[in-house]
Amino acid sequence: MIEMSSTQIRQKFLDFFADKGHQVLPSAPLVPQNDPTLLWINAGMAPFKDYFNGSATPPNSRIVTSQKCIRTNDITNVGKTARHHTFFEMLGNFSFGDYFKEEAIDWAYQFLTEELGLEEDKLWISIYKDDDRAFEIWHHEIGVPQDRIVRMDKDENFWEIGIGPCGPCSEIHYDRGIDFGCDDGCELGCDCDRYLEVWNLVFTQYNKTVDGEYLDLPNKNIDTGVGLERLASLLQEAPTNFETDLFMPLIEFITQNCDVEYGQSEETDLSIKVIADHIRSITFAIGDGALPSNEGRGYVVRRVLRRAVRYAKVLGLEVPFLHKIVAIVVDIMGEHYSELVKREEQIMKIIKQEELRFEETLEQGMNILDEVIAELEEDGLKQIPGDKVFMLYDTYGFPAELTEEIALEQGFEVDHDGFEEAMQQQRNRAREAREDYDQGHSELELFKGLRDELGVSKFIGYDHKAATTEVLAIVKDEQEITKITTGEEAKIILEKTPFYAESGGQVGDQGIIKTDCASLKVIEVQEVADIIVHQVELERGSLEVGEEVEVEIASGLRAATARNHTATHLLQQALKEVLGDHVKQSGSLVTPERLRFDFTHFEAVTEEQLCKIEEIVNQKVIANLAMVTEKMELEEAKQLGATALFGEKYGEQVRIVKIGDYSLELCGGTHVDYTGEIGFFKILDESGIAAGVRRIEAVTGQAGLNYVQQQEDMIADLADKLRANPAEVVDKVDSLQNKVKSLQKEITGLKDKLASSQSEDLASQAEEINGIDVVIDEADGLDNTGLRKMGDNLKQELDSGIIILGSKLKEKVVFVAMITDDLVEQGYHAGEIIGQVAQVAGGGGGGRPTMAQAGGSQPDKLTAALEKAREIIAGV
């Protein structure tokens, strides 16, 4: 066995198969591209599904990769076993209709024994029970003894997912010896760590039909997977994956920052391993553009991160801490995964922000969970009700899985059915709130029928602003009619139309439809069931189905909308330049008046960054870049690097919008011909609208100039009020602010003197209650700070005594109580007294025995409240 670093193992694997004619491809991003069936890339073959099923052609019939993978289905086992991880690397060699079993088996054995130096007599092979050809190759051609080849059933050594391509597997295992086994008689297939599965060879040779038949595939494929972490544990003679060079630098960094040692306690080791594993997943996931959120893969990132935060707190680590480990992950993995180096700073910022966000709610949520568990223990119950689990999830951001994990640690279980019922009730409420959504069901079905009868609408608006066309259908009140008259509103379908229907964030066109005896105003345009539907108001005359009409869009509104739409493309690219490639569009609104652009980003955009973004967009406007649109195949557009919206459905033919050499996007909207037509771009506002999602609002053209003019008018008005030139406004405001601060300081000093003077007078007028000097007084106009200062002064004047002060402040009343130490020893308590006093004035409060504050909402009860103080002191 040759000792190697994980980096050396990975490179040796890629080089070995490159020498065998394989094309080395980089790892696909963890976020699946154009595969809505997968949440994450979770296997080496996942990016090649289209190659395996024949729907796409691979760049080479032989491919080799080291693929990043995420799986969280066994997350609770992480740290408890030697090999469970949420993130791992799968080394794999693939053949698409090229070589088959003979080469796959021979090369796998050759790599393990010759390149890595694994001992041949410790290699064990499992095959599918009926795969005689695999047995022949392993036994007769490779020379593995028969007693080390184990035939297994379909559930162990046959790969299939429903109907389609499938086939038998052959797994290569390494015997680590009895020290890793459960007993001397341990055999292959046992759950212990003795027989370590190293490599899985999948022979895709059948096509399973809907009738359950297994037919031979004309083109057979090879799909293999080798866990890098497992190979590293073997070659580095590490008892588990966690003791390899992939994890130990992380573990050492964690232990250096807390008062525990690795290997001394199963409990602390679990926490250390979980953190080390989870930070790898989080770092790679965020690096590939998956930001923490409450949905989809974003929820997985948030769940894993919050789980790691919890274990960090178990170790006594001060949160935020996880973001500091990112640098270690990058040191270990950055040489091969250069995207981590490029995005390290962004990843750290996102993780730190998420840690701080969770820290705010973690302690409160944990306290509530502890209370729930304590109540259940008192009642002798062992199941946490589903509504409690849902409350923690919905209110405090506690993943249900985290609640269950904490509960299990304390011997409790979770009511899953009750939780799902609470979730369903929430969904029902949401569904009821969406009753007004979109078209009514009957109208939608009506338009589907019209589409089947009339065909899809012909849009000519890219090239024409007006046209002569025919009315194909009129719909009113969810009914198809033949005629409308003056004053009526209806929905009209035309044979062809220049009107752009609302789509992709761009609002629909407005305009007119007319005949010799009728005039209609187009209010809005939408696409329903692939039909362009014109919402119209008939201003005069009448209109019937079959009539020929003249249609024309409102050109001014279209031009303004086009300026804003093109500006969003420039804005998106500028955001990527300034903030980073993680920026993705989350939504947009393009109207004639303004544009709104939502995008993924982990923190507020600074003023400096906004200025830079605005500057870049305006530079592209001044450059007067040409706008080019073209239709092409979707795959061709992707190869050109066109930006697409994640999750958006595209047909085989797409329209690309290219702005010079600066921006390239898939888009069906309307645009200017040259960026110079935008005229001017101005950002109005930047804000957060959801976790990890920001929004920029902006204007262009005349609207932008109008905004600047408004700002200049405001500055001029302000300058006039300040009796200064516009250029002097800032200096003038600074001067006024300094003067205000000086006056405030002077007022405070005068108040202090007044309080001191009043304190001397009040001390001399102290009344005696129960043999104690007591000062009770209404100090009008003083706030809490003023009352405290007055109380401090009185306390200095009195050697021994009780002070109760109250003051009216607009619609409320404030109180302060102070008691000297000797009287506290006699049983007097400022907090208890002031609490009862404040209740009389409709409030409450409390504090220490020597000093307390309170407030009330009924200033008219101040006198009565202070009288209550006398009664309390007299009664003690």
Side-chain angles (χ1 to χ4, degrees), residues 51-54 58 61 95-100 165-166 203-207 215-222:
Y51 301 156
F52 280 111
N53 63 30
S61 61
S95 168
F96 306 103
D98 193 329
Y99 62 83
F100 199 49
C166 58
F203 312 125
T204 311
Q205 63 189 85
Y206 301 118
N207 183 56
L215 306 178
D216 286 332
L217 283 171
N219 294 314
K220 298 176 172 59
N221 303 317
I222 289 293

PDB file of all heavy atoms in Angstrom, residues 51-54 58 61 95-100 165-166 203-207 215-222:
ATOM      1  N   TYR A  51     -26.855  11.517 -21.088  1.00  0.00           N
ATOM      2  CA  TYR A  51     -25.972  10.686 -21.903  1.00  0.00           C
ATOM      3  C   TYR A  51     -26.342   9.212 -21.763  1.00  0.00           C
ATOM      4  O   TYR A  51     -26.307   8.448 -22.727  1.00  0.00           O
ATOM      5  CB  TYR A  51     -24.510  10.881 -21.503  1.00  0.00           C
ATOM      6  CG  TYR A  51     -24.004  12.300 -21.632  1.00  0.00           C
ATOM      7  CD1 TYR A  51     -22.919  12.743 -20.886  1.00  0.00           C
ATOM      8  CD2 TYR A  51     -24.594  13.206 -22.506  1.00  0.00           C
ATOM      9  CE1 TYR A  51     -22.433  14.038 -20.996  1.00  0.00           C
ATOM     10  CE2 TYR A  51     -24.131  14.505 -22.630  1.00  0.00           C
ATOM     11  CZ  TYR A  51     -23.045  14.918 -21.865  1.00  0.00           C
ATOM     12  OH  TYR A  51     -22.577  16.198 -21.983  1.00  0.00           O
ATOM     13  N   PHE A  52     -26.698   8.825 -20.535  1.00  0.00           N
ATOM     14  CA  PHE A  52     -27.045   7.430 -20.291  1.00  0.00           C
ATOM     15  C   PHE A  52     -28.369   7.042 -20.960  1.00  0.00           C
ATOM     16  O   PHE A  52     -28.517   5.929 -21.460  1.00  0.00           O
ATOM     17  CB  PHE A  52     -27.124   7.149 -18.788  1.00  0.00           C
ATOM     18  CG  PHE A  52     -25.781   6.928 -18.141  1.00  0.00           C
ATOM     19  CD1 PHE A  52     -25.251   7.850 -17.258  1.00  0.00           C
ATOM     20  CD2 PHE A  52     -25.031   5.789 -18.419  1.00  0.00           C
ATOM     21  CE1 PHE A  52     -24.011   7.656 -16.671  1.00  0.00           C
ATOM     22  CE2 PHE A  52     -23.796   5.580 -17.835  1.00  0.00           C
ATOM     23  CZ  PHE A  52     -23.273   6.519 -16.958  1.00  0.00           C
ATOM     24  N   ASN A  53     -29.352   7.975 -20.937  1.00  0.00           N
ATOM     25  CA  ASN A  53     -30.643   7.620 -21.538  1.00  0.00           C
ATOM     26  C   ASN A  53     -30.704   7.931 -23.033  1.00  0.00           C
ATOM     27  O   ASN A  53     -31.717   7.691 -23.684  1.00  0.00           O
ATOM     28  CB  ASN A  53     -31.797   8.307 -20.790  1.00  0.00           C
ATOM     29  CG  ASN A  53     -31.736   9.822 -20.876  1.00  0.00           C
ATOM     30  OD1 ASN A  53     -31.246  10.397 -21.836  1.00  0.00           O
ATOM     31  ND2 ASN A  53     -32.269  10.487 -19.848  1.00  0.00           N
ATOM     32  N   GLY A  54     -29.635   8.489 -23.586  1.00  0.00           N
ATOM     33  CA  GLY A  54     -29.555   8.705 -25.033  1.00  0.00           C
ATOM     34  C   GLY A  54     -30.178   9.987 -25.528  1.00  0.00           C
ATOM     35  O   GLY A  54     -30.220  10.225 -26.738  1.00  0.00           O
ATOM     36  N   PRO A  58     -22.695  12.732 -25.557  1.00  0.00           N
ATOM     37  CA  PRO A  58     -21.565  13.142 -24.716  1.00  0.00           C
ATOM     38  C   PRO A  58     -20.432  13.698 -25.564  1.00  0.00           C
ATOM     39  O   PRO A  58     -20.308  13.361 -26.750  1.00  0.00           O
ATOM     40  CB  PRO A  58     -21.166  11.837 -24.022  1.00  0.00           C
ATOM     41  CG  PRO A  58     -21.603  10.766 -24.942  1.00  0.00           C
ATOM     42  CD  PRO A  58     -22.864  11.264 -25.592  1.00  0.00           C
ATOM     43  N   SER A  61     -16.943   9.397 -25.725  1.00  0.00           N
ATOM     44  CA  SER A  61     -17.583   8.153 -25.274  1.00  0.00           C
ATOM     45  C   SER A  61     -16.961   7.629 -23.980  1.00  0.00           C
ATOM     46  O   SER A  61     -17.502   6.732 -23.351  1.00  0.00           O
ATOM     47  CB  SER A  61     -17.476   7.082 -26.365  1.00  0.00           C
ATOM     48  OG  SER A  61     -16.117   6.795 -26.662  1.00  0.00           O
ATOM     49  N   SER A  95     -18.387   4.998 -19.461  1.00  0.00           N
ATOM     50  CA  SER A  95     -18.351   4.613 -20.869  1.00  0.00           C
ATOM     51  C   SER A  95     -19.757   4.690 -21.426  1.00  0.00           C
ATOM     52  O   SER A  95     -20.697   4.131 -20.851  1.00  0.00           O
ATOM     53  CB  SER A  95     -17.811   3.188 -21.030  1.00  0.00           C
ATOM     54  OG  SER A  95     -18.027   2.725 -22.348  1.00  0.00           O
ATOM     55  N   PHE A  96     -19.917   5.407 -22.546  1.00  0.00           N
ATOM     56  CA  PHE A  96     -21.219   5.557 -23.187  1.00  0.00           C
ATOM     57  C   PHE A  96     -21.194   4.806 -24.518  1.00  0.00           C
ATOM     58  O   PHE A  96     -20.785   5.350 -25.547  1.00  0.00           O
ATOM     59  CB  PHE A  96     -21.547   7.036 -23.385  1.00  0.00           C
ATOM     60  CG  PHE A  96     -21.453   7.839 -22.119  1.00  0.00           C
ATOM     61  CD1 PHE A  96     -20.355   8.663 -21.885  1.00  0.00           C
ATOM     62  CD2 PHE A  96     -22.428   7.750 -21.146  1.00  0.00           C
ATOM     63  CE1 PHE A  96     -20.248   9.394 -20.716  1.00  0.00           C
ATOM     64  CE2 PHE A  96     -22.340   8.476 -19.971  1.00  0.00           C
ATOM     65  CZ  PHE A  96     -21.245   9.295 -19.751  1.00  0.00           C
ATOM     66  N   GLY A  97     -21.565   3.513 -24.455  1.00  0.00           N
ATOM     67  CA  GLY A  97     -21.583   2.689 -25.653  1.00  0.00           C
ATOM     68  C   GLY A  97     -20.201   2.332 -26.158  1.00  0.00           C
ATOM     69  O   GLY A  97     -20.043   1.969 -27.327  1.00  0.00           O
ATOM     70  N   ASP A  98     -19.190   2.406 -25.312  1.00  0.00           N
ATOM     71  CA  ASP A  98     -17.815   2.111 -25.714  1.00  0.00           C
ATOM     72  C   ASP A  98     -17.383   0.796 -25.057  1.00  0.00           C
ATOM     73  O   ASP A  98     -17.895  -0.268 -25.403  1.00  0.00           O
ATOM     74  CB  ASP A  98     -16.908   3.281 -25.321  1.00  0.00           C
ATOM     75  CG  ASP A  98     -15.522   3.216 -25.958  1.00  0.00           C
ATOM     76  OD1 ASP A  98     -15.034   2.099 -26.203  1.00  0.00           O
ATOM     77  OD2 ASP A  98     -14.933   4.279 -26.208  1.00  0.00           O
ATOM     78  N   TYR A  99     -16.481   0.836 -24.092  1.00  0.00           N
ATOM     79  CA  TYR A  99     -16.036  -0.407 -23.446  1.00  0.00           C
ATOM     80  C   TYR A  99     -17.087  -0.901 -22.458  1.00  0.00           C
ATOM     81  O   TYR A  99     -18.027  -0.193 -22.113  1.00  0.00           O
ATOM     82  CB  TYR A  99     -14.684  -0.211 -22.768  1.00  0.00           C
ATOM     83  CG  TYR A  99     -14.660   0.813 -21.645  1.00  0.00           C
ATOM     84  CD1 TYR A  99     -15.054   0.473 -20.345  1.00  0.00           C
ATOM     85  CD2 TYR A  99     -14.208   2.124 -21.865  1.00  0.00           C
ATOM     86  CE1 TYR A  99     -15.007   1.398 -19.320  1.00  0.00           C
ATOM     87  CE2 TYR A  99     -14.163   3.046 -20.846  1.00  0.00           C
ATOM     88  CZ  TYR A  99     -14.562   2.682 -19.561  1.00  0.00           C
ATOM     89  OH  TYR A  99     -14.523   3.597 -18.543  1.00  0.00           O
ATOM     90  N   PHE A 100     -16.892  -2.157 -21.982  1.00  0.00           N
ATOM     91  CA  PHE A 100     -17.890  -2.713 -21.059  1.00  0.00           C
ATOM     92  C   PHE A 100     -17.192  -3.451 -19.908  1.00  0.00           C
ATOM     93  O   PHE A 100     -16.159  -2.995 -19.423  1.00  0.00           O
ATOM     94  CB  PHE A 100     -18.870  -3.605 -21.829  1.00  0.00           C
ATOM     95  CG  PHE A 100     -20.163  -3.843 -21.101  1.00  0.00           C
ATOM     96  CD1 PHE A 100     -20.869  -2.782 -20.552  1.00  0.00           C
ATOM     97  CD2 PHE A 100     -20.684  -5.127 -20.958  1.00  0.00           C
ATOM     98  CE1 PHE A 100     -22.073  -2.996 -19.875  1.00  0.00           C
ATOM     99  CE2 PHE A 100     -21.883  -5.346 -20.294  1.00  0.00           C
ATOM    100  CZ  PHE A 100     -22.572  -4.279 -19.750  1.00  0.00           C
ATOM    101  N   PRO A 165     -33.032   2.179 -18.444  1.00  0.00           N
ATOM    102  CA  PRO A 165     -31.729   1.515 -18.362  1.00  0.00           C
ATOM    103  C   PRO A 165     -31.420   1.028 -16.952  1.00  0.00           C
ATOM    104  O   PRO A 165     -31.697   1.722 -15.968  1.00  0.00           O
ATOM    105  CB  PRO A 165     -30.748   2.611 -18.799  1.00  0.00           C
ATOM    106  CG  PRO A 165     -31.554   3.531 -19.647  1.00  0.00           C
ATOM    107  CD  PRO A 165     -32.923   3.536 -19.023  1.00  0.00           C
ATOM    108  N   CYS A 166     -30.834  -0.168 -16.859  1.00  0.00           N
ATOM    109  CA  CYS A 166     -30.490  -0.745 -15.565  1.00  0.00           C
ATOM    110  C   CYS A 166     -29.447  -1.838 -15.798  1.00  0.00           C
ATOM    111  O   CYS A 166     -29.096  -2.155 -16.942  1.00  0.00           O
ATOM    112  CB  CYS A 166     -31.721  -1.313 -14.869  1.00  0.00           C
ATOM    113  SG  CYS A 166     -32.584  -2.582 -15.839  1.00  0.00           S
ATOM    114  N   PHE A 203     -22.927  -2.064 -14.480  1.00  0.00           N
ATOM    115  CA  PHE A 203     -22.945  -2.478 -15.888  1.00  0.00           C
ATOM    116  C   PHE A 203     -24.355  -2.260 -16.448  1.00  0.00           C
ATOM    117  O   PHE A 203     -25.238  -3.115 -16.295  1.00  0.00           O
ATOM    118  CB  PHE A 203     -22.552  -3.959 -16.012  1.00  0.00           C
ATOM    119  CG  PHE A 203     -21.313  -4.318 -15.233  1.00  0.00           C
ATOM    120  CD1 PHE A 203     -21.332  -5.340 -14.294  1.00  0.00           C
ATOM    121  CD2 PHE A 203     -20.131  -3.632 -15.430  1.00  0.00           C
ATOM    122  CE1 PHE A 203     -20.201  -5.676 -13.576  1.00  0.00           C
ATOM    123  CE2 PHE A 203     -18.973  -3.964 -14.725  1.00  0.00           C
ATOM    124  CZ  PHE A 203     -19.009  -4.989 -13.789  1.00  0.00           C
ATOM    125  N   THR A 204     -24.568  -1.130 -17.079  1.00  0.00           N
ATOM    126  CA  THR A 204     -25.897  -0.807 -17.605  1.00  0.00           C
ATOM    127  C   THR A 204     -26.078  -1.530 -18.938  1.00  0.00           C
ATOM    128  O   THR A 204     -25.652  -1.055 -19.983  1.00  0.00           O
ATOM    129  CB  THR A 204     -26.038   0.716 -17.794  1.00  0.00           C
ATOM    130  OG1 THR A 204     -25.612   1.368 -16.609  1.00  0.00           O
ATOM    131  CG2 THR A 204     -27.485   1.092 -18.084  1.00  0.00           C
ATOM    132  N   GLN A 205     -26.745  -2.698 -18.885  1.00  0.00           N
ATOM    133  CA  GLN A 205     -26.853  -3.537 -20.081  1.00  0.00           C
ATOM    134  C   GLN A 205     -28.287  -3.881 -20.460  1.00  0.00           C
ATOM    135  O   GLN A 205     -28.532  -4.454 -21.510  1.00  0.00           O
ATOM    136  CB  GLN A 205     -26.063  -4.838 -19.867  1.00  0.00           C
ATOM    137  CG  GLN A 205     -26.561  -5.722 -18.739  1.00  0.00           C
ATOM    138  CD  GLN A 205     -25.608  -6.872 -18.457  1.00  0.00           C
ATOM    139  OE1 GLN A 205     -24.634  -6.718 -17.711  1.00  0.00           O
ATOM    140  NE2 GLN A 205     -25.894  -8.031 -19.051  1.00  0.00           N
ATOM    141  N   TYR A 206     -29.267  -3.524 -19.586  1.00  0.00           N
ATOM    142  CA  TYR A 206     -30.673  -3.864 -19.859  1.00  0.00           C
ATOM    143  C   TYR A 206     -31.538  -2.609 -19.928  1.00  0.00           C
ATOM    144  O   TYR A 206     -31.186  -1.548 -19.398  1.00  0.00           O
ATOM    145  CB  TYR A 206     -31.233  -4.778 -18.770  1.00  0.00           C
ATOM    146  CG  TYR A 206     -30.500  -6.077 -18.607  1.00  0.00           C
ATOM    147  CD1 TYR A 206     -29.872  -6.384 -17.392  1.00  0.00           C
ATOM    148  CD2 TYR A 206     -30.445  -7.023 -19.638  1.00  0.00           C
ATOM    149  CE1 TYR A 206     -29.199  -7.584 -17.218  1.00  0.00           C
ATOM    150  CE2 TYR A 206     -29.776  -8.222 -19.473  1.00  0.00           C
ATOM    151  CZ  TYR A 206     -29.149  -8.497 -18.267  1.00  0.00           C
ATOM    152  OH  TYR A 206     -28.469  -9.684 -18.105  1.00  0.00           O
ATOM    153  N   ASN A 207     -32.685  -2.799 -20.556  1.00  0.00           N
ATOM    154  CA  ASN A 207     -33.730  -1.778 -20.527  1.00  0.00           C
ATOM    155  C   ASN A 207     -34.973  -2.428 -19.950  1.00  0.00           C
ATOM    156  O   ASN A 207     -35.534  -3.357 -20.532  1.00  0.00           O
ATOM    157  CB  ASN A 207     -34.029  -1.239 -21.926  1.00  0.00           C
ATOM    158  CG  ASN A 207     -35.055  -0.122 -21.877  1.00  0.00           C
ATOM    159  OD1 ASN A 207     -34.863   0.870 -21.189  1.00  0.00           O
ATOM    160  ND2 ASN A 207     -36.152  -0.273 -22.610  1.00  0.00           N
ATOM    161  N   LEU A 215     -34.749  -6.187 -21.352  1.00  0.00           N
ATOM    162  CA  LEU A 215     -34.279  -6.374 -22.727  1.00  0.00           C
ATOM    163  C   LEU A 215     -32.849  -5.850 -22.850  1.00  0.00           C
ATOM    164  O   LEU A 215     -32.486  -4.842 -22.234  1.00  0.00           O
ATOM    165  CB  LEU A 215     -35.197  -5.631 -23.700  1.00  0.00           C
ATOM    166  CG  LEU A 215     -36.700  -5.963 -23.607  1.00  0.00           C
ATOM    167  CD1 LEU A 215     -37.482  -5.097 -24.597  1.00  0.00           C
ATOM    168  CD2 LEU A 215     -36.935  -7.446 -23.866  1.00  0.00           C
ATOM    169  N   ASP A 216     -32.045  -6.524 -23.662  1.00  0.00           N
ATOM    170  CA  ASP A 216     -30.664  -6.090 -23.874  1.00  0.00           C
ATOM    171  C   ASP A 216     -30.628  -4.725 -24.546  1.00  0.00           C
ATOM    172  O   ASP A 216     -31.350  -4.477 -25.514  1.00  0.00           O
ATOM    173  CB  ASP A 216     -29.918  -7.099 -24.751  1.00  0.00           C
ATOM    174  CG  ASP A 216     -29.576  -8.370 -23.988  1.00  0.00           C
ATOM    175  OD1 ASP A 216     -29.412  -8.284 -22.758  1.00  0.00           O
ATOM    176  OD2 ASP A 216     -29.477  -9.439 -24.621  1.00  0.00           O
ATOM    177  N   LEU A 217     -29.785  -3.841 -24.008  1.00  0.00           N
ATOM    178  CA  LEU A 217     -29.572  -2.543 -24.637  1.00  0.00           C
ATOM    179  C   LEU A 217     -28.617  -2.697 -25.821  1.00  0.00           C
ATOM    180  O   LEU A 217     -27.616  -3.409 -25.718  1.00  0.00           O
ATOM    181  CB  LEU A 217     -28.956  -1.554 -23.637  1.00  0.00           C
ATOM    182  CG  LEU A 217     -29.883  -0.940 -22.582  1.00  0.00           C
ATOM    183  CD1 LEU A 217     -29.054  -0.167 -21.561  1.00  0.00           C
ATOM    184  CD2 LEU A 217     -30.908  -0.027 -23.218  1.00  0.00           C
ATOM    185  N   PRO A 218     -28.886  -2.021 -26.924  1.00  0.00           N
ATOM    186  CA  PRO A 218     -27.960  -2.100 -28.067  1.00  0.00           C
ATOM    187  C   PRO A 218     -26.614  -1.448 -27.739  1.00  0.00           C
ATOM    188  O   PRO A 218     -25.570  -1.892 -28.192  1.00  0.00           O
ATOM    189  CB  PRO A 218     -28.695  -1.345 -29.175  1.00  0.00           C
ATOM    190  CG  PRO A 218     -29.686  -0.466 -28.464  1.00  0.00           C
ATOM    191  CD  PRO A 218     -30.085  -1.206 -27.228  1.00  0.00           C
ATOM    192  N   ASN A 219     -26.651  -0.368 -26.935  1.00  0.00           N
ATOM    193  CA  ASN A 219     -25.421   0.305 -26.517  1.00  0.00           C
ATOM    194  C   ASN A 219     -25.306   0.207 -25.000  1.00  0.00           C
ATOM    195  O   ASN A 219     -26.102   0.801 -24.271  1.00  0.00           O
ATOM    196  CB  ASN A 219     -25.423   1.785 -26.939  1.00  0.00           C
ATOM    197  CG  ASN A 219     -25.393   1.946 -28.435  1.00  0.00           C
ATOM    198  OD1 ASN A 219     -24.606   1.287 -29.121  1.00  0.00           O
ATOM    199  ND2 ASN A 219     -26.255   2.815 -28.965  1.00  0.00           N
ATOM    200  N   LYS A 220     -24.333  -0.557 -24.544  1.00  0.00           N
ATOM    201  CA  LYS A 220     -24.162  -0.788 -23.116  1.00  0.00           C
ATOM    202  C   LYS A 220     -23.233   0.281 -22.523  1.00  0.00           C
ATOM    203  O   LYS A 220     -22.298   0.726 -23.182  1.00  0.00           O
ATOM    204  CB  LYS A 220     -23.621  -2.191 -22.867  1.00  0.00           C
ATOM    205  CG  LYS A 220     -24.576  -3.293 -23.345  1.00  0.00           C
ATOM    206  CD  LYS A 220     -23.957  -4.667 -23.169  1.00  0.00           C
ATOM    207  CE  LYS A 220     -24.975  -5.773 -23.468  1.00  0.00           C
ATOM    208  NZ  LYS A 220     -25.520  -5.693 -24.837  1.00  0.00           N
ATOM    209  N   ASN A 221     -23.516   0.654 -21.276  1.00  0.00           N
ATOM    210  CA  ASN A 221     -22.773   1.731 -20.629  1.00  0.00           C
ATOM    211  C   ASN A 221     -22.103   1.258 -19.342  1.00  0.00           C
ATOM    212  O   ASN A 221     -22.530   0.263 -18.733  1.00  0.00           O
ATOM    213  CB  ASN A 221     -23.709   2.897 -20.285  1.00  0.00           C
ATOM    214  CG  ASN A 221     -24.447   3.432 -21.503  1.00  0.00           C
ATOM    215  OD1 ASN A 221     -23.840   3.584 -22.559  1.00  0.00           O
ATOM    216  ND2 ASN A 221     -25.731   3.715 -21.353  1.00  0.00           N
ATOM    217  N   ILE A 222     -21.088   1.997 -18.930  1.00  0.00           N
ATOM    218  CA  ILE A 222     -20.391   1.738 -17.671  1.00  0.00           C
ATOM    219  C   ILE A 222     -20.488   2.988 -16.800  1.00  0.00           C
ATOM    220  O   ILE A 222     -20.218   4.104 -17.252  1.00  0.00           O
ATOM    221  CB  ILE A 222     -18.907   1.385 -17.901  1.00  0.00           C
ATOM    222  CG1 ILE A 222     -18.771   0.011 -18.520  1.00  0.00           C
ATOM    223  CG2 ILE A 222     -18.107   1.464 -16.598  1.00  0.00           C
ATOM    224  CD1 ILE A 222     -19.189  -1.134 -17.606  1.00  0.00           C
TER     225      ILE A 222
END
